Amino acid sequence: MVQISLYNTKSRKQEPFVPQDPRNVRMYVCGPTVYDRAHLGNARPVVVFDVLFRLLRQEYGAEHVTYVRNFTDVDDKINTRAAQSGRSITEITDETIGWFLEDMGALGALEPTHAPRATDYIGQMVTICAELIARGHAYEAEGHVLFAVDSYADYGALSGRSVDDMIAGARVEVAPYKRNPMDFVLWKPSSDDLPGWDSPWGRGRPGWHIECSAMAQELLGATFDIHGGGNDLQFPHHENEIAQSRCAHPEGDFARVWMHNEMLQVEGRKMSKSLGNFFSVRDLLDQGVPGEVIRFVFLSTHYRKPMDWTAKKADEADRTLRKWYAQAAAAETGAQDAELLAALADDLNTHGALTALHRLSGDGQGGALRAGLQLLGLMTDAVPDWAATPTVDLSGWATRLADLRTEAMASKDFSDVDRLKAALIDAGVEVRMSKAGVELSPQPGFDPSRLEALA
């Protein structure tokens, strides 16, 4: 068994991962608010923690790992979308959850052990609110239940900020019913036109932060191993989760290891609708970018570094995967490569794992290459249809092009080389020419009849 080590945001250092119970390794990751398609940035934590899920299953056994990723299906954004569209909230959330699972599945993400919807855990949220009030950590005001931040001395420990810094750097809702500007909502009243549930404080609905605490407590217990999510959730969402969970269940530690992935850029710029570079996973898939290619680009950057999506990276990933699939298709799945496993165990160094796959490819180790591709979620049992390479012998054309190039080097007239190269490309052949020689690769859509006219 390889020793996994992970960077813990809470301690600000990389630590050996020692699960509380090796036969019951538990991980919680914050999932989407379901009102629209998942954009590319939403997919990064899904892929990051899917790799960790796969690594944990590899090391501890699939039956000994529990992974929870929630759906937030009660939220003001959903209410707004329903009001704007005239559709029911249930219709919107059911459709969006289906989209999310389909799109993430296209990226090779395994479904978690549990994918709870927040609305199925309202009773547990009410119970936590009542417990926090009883313990003096929350109070009721004008139909709201609010967490009293000054009642928890360690508030801010995860993000490393003082309360004063957090007030200065956050959009704090100023409300007359708050005792402290930093106090956050656990429960809020609902009007007749909004979703609501009965509670001791009247008809209402939960605040965002309480949802994850309730689902994590119910499915994983008061103490579990790993809590993950995007870096943007560190404050206030995760900070608030810790405070309310530790105060409601002081017998537990809540999450022992906190992991956060960095954000995503597009062509070197922040993804933004105003910049015209904002797109969903489905947009890329519909444009013909394979899910495996999207995943490969994600894995090429360490999860704690900003990731830059570029068309060039996607093209390079496409070419690399086609080459690897051709090699892996001819081999039985072998043992996992030690260097690849070591890279993943070193705080999910996926870039290092891909480097190991390049080495296995160069060494002709098809079986180990296939095993590594499967562990990284880049290949199932079969080569994907988009990468299926037509079986054709192009060695004669490669020799002909190489001979023409040799003649052109002497005559300085490359017109025949350019014509043949253009004809090959038009027929659906990828042409790579280097000092080492000429390499031709038929691509999907290859039409050999176009070459017959050149013979």
Side-chain angles (χ1 to χ4, degrees), residues 2 256 336 348 361 367:
V2 64
R256 300 167 68 239
Q336 289 294 346
L348 295 188
S361 171

Side-chain angles (χ1 to χ4, degrees), residues 15 21 28 57 63-64 88 104 115 165 176 181 184 204 236 351 353 366:
E15 304 167 337
D21 179 1
Y28 186 97
R57 286 160 56 98
E63 69 277 16
H64 300 307
S88 73
M104 297 308 108
D165 288 341
F184 57 89
H351 177 77

Side-chain angles (χ1 to χ4, degrees), residues 74 118 122 125 185-188 197 204-208 210-211:
V74 52
I122 299 295
M125 297 175 204
V185 173
L186 302 172
W187 188 265
K188 54 189 172 183
W197 292 262
R205 61 195 191 280
W208 174 35
I210 196 70
E211 298 175 9

Side-chain angles (χ1 to χ4, degrees), residues 122-303:
I122 299 295
Q124 289 86 341
M125 297 175 204
V126 170
T127 297
I128 292 176
C129 290
E131 186 67 29
L132 288 170
I133 291 174
R135 292 178 180 273
H137 293 291
Y139 58 95
E140 188 272 337
E142 299 182 21
H144 295 76
V145 177
L146 297 112
F147 184 87
V149 167
D150 57 10
S151 74
Y152 181 58
D154 290 336
Y155 192 79
L158 178 69
S159 57
R161 308 183 192 183
S162 68
V163 173
D164 289 341
D165 288 341
M166 287 184 278
I167 292 175
R171 296 177 180 176
V172 176
E173 179 188 0
V174 178
Y177 49 78
K178 284 188 176 185
R179 296 177 184 172
N180 181 316
M182 286 299 296
D183 292 350
F184 57 89
V185 173
L186 302 172
W187 188 265
K188 54 189 172 183
S190 290
S191 56
D192 291 341
D193 61 332
L194 292 174
W197 292 262
D198 292 332
S199 79
W201 317 285
R203 183 177 180 274
R205 61 195 191 280
W208 174 35
H209 312 300
I210 196 70
E211 298 175 9
C212 288
S213 287
M215 289 181 277
Q217 164 69 27
E218 184 70 16
L219 295 170
L220 300 177
T223 303
F224 54 94
D225 296 300
I226 299 168
H227 195 313
N231 199 42
D232 57 326
L233 298 181
Q234 189 178 146
F235 176 81
H237 185 50
H238 289 166
E239 200 76 74
N240 292 352
E241 276 190 67
I242 293 172
Q244 63 201 13
S245 298
R246 292 294 305 276
C247 290
H249 299 283
E251 76 282 2
D253 294 327
F254 196 48
R256 300 167 68 239
V257 177
W258 286 85
M259 298 177 65
H260 295 92
N261 64 272
E262 259 292 355
M263 298 297 99
L264 176 141
Q265 298 176 323
V266 175
E267 302 289 349
R269 306 173 76 184
K270 181 180 179 181
M271 189 166 67
S272 168
K273 290 181 179 179
S274 64
L275 294 175
N277 65 352
F278 185 96
F279 45 87
S280 69
V281 173
R282 178 49 52 182
D283 290 335
L284 283 179
L285 294 171
D286 287 347
Q287 290 167 18
V289 181
E292 294 88 350
V293 168
I294 299 172
R295 186 181 181 98
F296 185 106
V297 175
F298 280 7
L299 298 185
S300 65
T301 301
H302 192 275
Y303 78 93

Side-chain angles (χ1 to χ4, degrees), residues 437-453:
V438 174
E439 185 177 352
L440 305 180
S441 300
Q443 302 300 298
F446 169 65
D447 184 359
S449 65
R450 290 179 177 269
L451 295 183
E452 292 174 2

